[in-house]
Amino acid sequence: MATHTSEDAAALQRGDSFQTSNLTTANAEEDALHEPRQSSTRTDDPVEGPQSATLAAPPRASVDEKQAPQRDDAPPALPASAASSVVSLVKPAAPPSTQGRRSTQASLKAIRKDFSYPRIKPVIFPLVCFIGGVVLALGHHLFNHWADGRTVGKSPNISQEWILRVGTAFAFAFQAILAASLSFVVCQVLWYYARRKYMTLQDLNTLYLVERRDIIPTFRSNAAARAPFLVLVVTFCLMLPIAAIFSPASLSVAFLVTNNSGSCVVSAANVTDGTNSTRIYSADDGFLLSGLSGPALKITQRALFGGAIPPLPTFCGDNCIYEASMDSMAFECQEGVTLPAGQMGTVDPAHPGPGTRTYWNATSDGPSNDPTLPFYVGWMTDAYTDGMTQYLNGTTGSAYCTPMQAHYNFSVQKLNGIQTVSYTASITGPMSPATNFDQNNDQPTHAALQIGAIGLALRNYFLGSLSVTSNPAGSRDDYNSSVISAPFLNVSTIGVESFIWGDVVGGIKETAANITASMLLLNLGGMKDSTCIYTNQDLVYSYHWLGLWIPYGIALFIVAISLLFGVLIFLRFNPENLTTSLSDTIGVTRNPTFDASNHKANDTLNPAAVEDPTRFILDKQADGRSKFATQKDFS
């Protein structure tokens, strides 16, 4: 643009070639002579920079070498004598920061008047992408709902890998299409800040890098201070993959167990049947109990020393539950009783010296071969070394246990090759004599001998002592009780040798139940018809809808709010639909001052030149195009 002094303008007025229609001002579109100029200065947004606080000097008249195109609403010609008046009527141009900007009310009116398809066409694509995200979320939900409860690999005949791949495809397509919708918002927010604030070339370059999702400039620069909303929207874009990570896990697999009742044949477990039953007892002259039979002795040893019920028969096969009931014996124990004198040894902790330190002692209250008689038992958690007992986590106590007749109900389940046994026991009364004739001088019944044999095996297991006798010559270990193999005893030899007891009374009762259950391995009264529960276990898909809709719902809500702001910014601040494409970037940066500032910024040999203080703002120029302008008119 050529500029002339007042003398040159006067000379041109005297010349024959001067034409009034060639005279232009800095704002030709808004300064028509017959139209009053409407101020574009906003009252709700302060103008940045001290230099923009005052109005710029009136632009000088300029003459082009060629005739400038006339406006449709301008007069076709003016007399030469009116040239000076034309110049005097030119109003001062608004600061560059306010050119092309309207008030909020004026912008909304313009939007309502021009809400046509060409104007809203750029908004259609991000809205379609958002709707596509909603459709994909619903599709993923319907797919998981369809798969929920279906057997893996059977209904339908689709492998688990492909089910997971489809769910993952839904998740990543959802993330990708919402990211495309947010890209529109990011672009609009970029131009919003470019129009609202004066920024240096380095600040503008940082905003461009943020718009391209460059992580380092986004979070390790002044971008958050210059354009906080832009950084926030870009952060949403970077966090969208979280929804694609969590949502596929909403469809998992689980075991579905179904139980169906059916007929089966199980052990009668009848200890009163003396004809079709295996004998548990051995008897002197066939009348009085003297011990256990060979088969029963072997079974009880497995239950006692193994500390658990041995594998029981699977009468109804695998994945089945059957029940059996039988009469047996149980212990009724009273805890915290006073033991007979000397029951727990002769060691006096207050006066150490020779004596016997007893950790377990169970003594029969009567003949030891009578299974119906109670017994005393005392136990102590202690260490060989004095003063170390306080560091042991065990129990110490006493009990008086009486054998009683009881009725057991067993439930035996085998699932996936693992057998579990549960039981309930109820005391039914005292045990019948088995080692002598009763009060009516009748010999023991077959049931009394069978149950008495189980009680005899248990009492022999608990009776005896575990002790250490010390004297000046040394110490002697006396372990004459089978209870040393009990599961409720921990004999520690690491660090300090010690006996650590657990729940002794509970262990005594559980041992009685284990031995009774092991009797189901014997033929007790033959077989009987029963009802068993057959278990079917299938691996099925399980859909947890919250695992899908929590990440999807958060993502859709954030994108919807961001898209709303993006559309409003586009309609008000970016009607030209500027993007960050190469053509738009070239169009808004074709400015001599911008080129000079860019040249200085690239001059790495001169550090002072890199820190160029020139600030730019995107604004509408005299030709109606949006370009980066400075606070001063450097042209």
Side-chain angles (χ1 to χ4, degrees), residues 27 30 37-49 51-56 92-104 106-107 192 194-198 572-573 576 616-622 625-632:
N27 291 316
E30 300 178 359
R37 176 177 174 86
Q38 180 181 358
S39 174
S40 61
T41 304
R42 290 172 55 94
T43 59
D44 54 347
D45 295 321
V47 179
E48 293 187 22
Q51 296 178 352
S52 62
T54 59
L55 293 177
S97 62
T98 63
Q99 294 180 9
R101 292 169 57 186
R102 304 170 179 173
S103 64
T104 302
S107 298
Y192 169 78
R195 293 178 185 271
R196 299 275 295 187
K197 293 185 177 182
Y198 283 99
R572 181 177 177 186
F573 294 98
E576 305 95 329
F616 299 89
I617 193 169
L618 184 65
D619 217 334
K620 185 176 291 185
Q621 304 301 306
R625 298 180 180 179
S626 295
K627 293 183 181 180
F628 280 107
T630 60
Q631 290 171 287
K632 284 187 177 181

Side-chain angles (χ1 to χ4, degrees), residues 296-336:
L297 181 62
K298 182 177 181 179
I299 292 174
T300 54
Q301 293 295 323
R302 293 175 61 186
L304 291 174
F305 295 101
I309 300 174
L312 300 180
T314 54
F315 293 112
C316 55
D318 294 336
N319 299 331
C320 177
I321 301 175
Y322 70 89
E323 295 182 352
S325 301
M326 69 176 296
D327 292 327
S328 181
M329 60 82 56
F331 289 105
E332 195 173 59
C333 297
Q334 180 183 359
E335 298 185 59

Side-chain angles (χ1 to χ4, degrees), residues 542-564:
S542 177
Y543 173 39
H544 309 279
W545 63 273
L546 285 178
L548 179 78
W549 283 111
I550 288 179
Y552 276 3
I554 293 175
L556 289 172
F557 176 77
I558 291 175
V559 173
I561 297 299
S562 302
L563 191 58
L564 176 62

